[in-house]
């Protein structure tokens, strides 16, 4: 068999699921990194709003930001897991 055939039929289907999950984890990291970048460079956004809410001890706003960040992380992981399940190679089991 040619190498291209082996890669496309056997390697790629097995690698797409974990790749989708890793992509979801990278998106989570980007969300967390956005907070740091916004604070360091002075951009206005969710990250700087979160830091200001913590500094002002505005508990309802801090809870809102935390819920937003956590909900986004859960949603991104759910999409990654569903994509991994959909892309996972399945073998037919016959009795």
């Amino acid at each position: 068999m040619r190498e291209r055939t082996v890669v496309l039929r056997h390697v790629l289907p097995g690698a797409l699921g974990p790749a989708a999950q890793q992509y979801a984890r990278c998106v989570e990291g980007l969300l967390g990194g956005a907070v740091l970048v916004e604070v360091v460079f002075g951009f206005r956004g969710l990250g700087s709003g979160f830091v200001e809410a913590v500094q002002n001890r505005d508990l309802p706003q801090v809870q809102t930001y935390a819920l937003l960040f956590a909900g986004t992380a859960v949603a991104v992981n759910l999409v990654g897991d569903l994509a991994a399940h959909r892309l996972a190679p399945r073998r037919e089991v016959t009795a």
Side-chain angles (χ1 to χ4, degrees):
M1 288 175 47
R2 295 185 339 201
E3 181 179 354
R4 181 177 180 189
T5 304
V6 171
V7 169
L8 290 176
R9 287 189 184 169
H10 301 287
V11 176
L12 190 60
L16 284 177
Q21 288 176 325
Q22 185 59 34
Y23 180 74
R25 288 184 186 95
C26 288
V27 170
E28 265 185 54
L30 288 173
L31 179 66
V35 174
L36 179 67
V37 169
E38 288 174 8
V39 171
V40 169
F41 293 112
F43 297 141
R44 293 290 306 157
L46 289 176
S48 58
F50 180 66
V51 171
E52 288 176 12
V54 170
Q55 289 173 344
N56 295 334
R57 296 183 181 177
D58 186 4
L59 188 60
Q61 195 172 7
V62 170
Q63 289 175 335
T64 303
Y65 280 117
L67 184 63
L68 179 68
F69 290 147
T72 303
V74 169
V76 166
N77 272 322
L78 179 64
V79 169
D81 288 342
L82 291 174
H85 178 71
R86 179 77 175 134
L87 295 171
R90 293 178 181 80
R91 294 182 185 242
E92 296 287 329
V93 179
T94 56

